[in-house]
Structure formats: C-alpha cells, structure tokens
C-alpha cells in the first residue's frame, strides 16, 4: 500500500511540475523538433556490410522461401483449426517479409 501511495505522490509531483513549467516544456519540445531536421537517417556505415547482406537475403531467394514457408504454415494451421485467422496471419507474415525489407531500406535512406 505504501508503494502505491509513493507512486501516486510521484505522479502528482510530475503533473504539478508540468503545470508550473508549461512554457519551459513547450520551448524544449519546439527546440527538440527543430533540431531533428539536422538528423539524416542512414548516415552511419558501421554495419553497412551486414545490412547489405541481410537486405540481399530477405529480398532474394531466402526471403521468398521465408514468405512461402509462413504462408504454408498459416494454411496448414488454418486447415487444422478450420479458421481463416491463421491463414490471414500467414499471409501477413509473408507480405511483411517480402515487402518489409524494401520499406525499411527506403525509410532509413530517406533524407529531408
């Protein structure tokens, strides 16, 4: 019970701090948002080789095998359970594994 009371007190302290320092917090958020513009995704090349290999595997034959395997497992479970939900899960995993690497690559290489 004492821990619950301490958590409630801490929550009230945070709320009162936010109310008292509303202008400061707003200015901090504005500065943080404006400074995000200088950050460009994908400029670090530390793991470029690993990233290139994984991208090649997932968009190549390994990704196709993984997608077909997920679809087959989903279809199999769907037949056993007589439910379409397992098939939908298999299809969504297959789509995510086939389309996902391209989306992530474009997302991390995007510039503002």
């Amino acid at each position: 019970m004492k821990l619950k009371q301490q958590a409630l007190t801490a929550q009230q302290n945070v709320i009162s701090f936010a109310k008292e320092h509303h202008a400061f917090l707003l200015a901090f958020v504005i500065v943080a948002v404006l400074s995000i513009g200088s950050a460009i995704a994908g400029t670090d090349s530390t793991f470029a080789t690993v990233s290139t290999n994984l991208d090649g595997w997932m968009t190549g034959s390994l990704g196709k095998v993984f997608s077909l395997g997920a679809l087959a497992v989903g279809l199999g479970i769907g037949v056993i359970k007589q439910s379409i939900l397992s098939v939908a899960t298999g299809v969504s995993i297959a789509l995510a594994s086939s389309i996902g690497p391209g989306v992530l690559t474009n997302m991390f290489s995007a510039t503002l």
Side-chain angles (χ1 to χ4, degrees), residues 47-107:
F47 295 101
T49 306
V50 175
S51 175
T52 303
N53 283 341
L54 285 174
D55 186 38
W57 291 342
M58 289 302 292
T59 57
S61 59
L62 178 65
K64 187 174 183 179
V65 168
F66 187 70
S67 297
L68 290 173
L71 181 62
V73 169
L75 286 170
I77 293 174
V79 167
I80 291 171
K81 293 174 80 175
Q82 296 182 354
S83 170
I84 193 76
L85 186 59
S86 300
V87 177
T89 303
V91 168
S92 62
I93 291 172
L95 282 173
S97 66
S98 64
I99 297 173
V103 171
L104 287 176
T105 301
N106 291 332
M107 188 170 64

Side-chain angles (χ1 to χ4, degrees), residues 4-18:
K4 188 175 183 180
Q5 182 63 29
Q6 288 175 345
L8 184 61
T9 304
Q11 182 181 12
Q12 290 171 347
N13 289 341
V14 168
I15 291 172
S16 66
F17 179 82

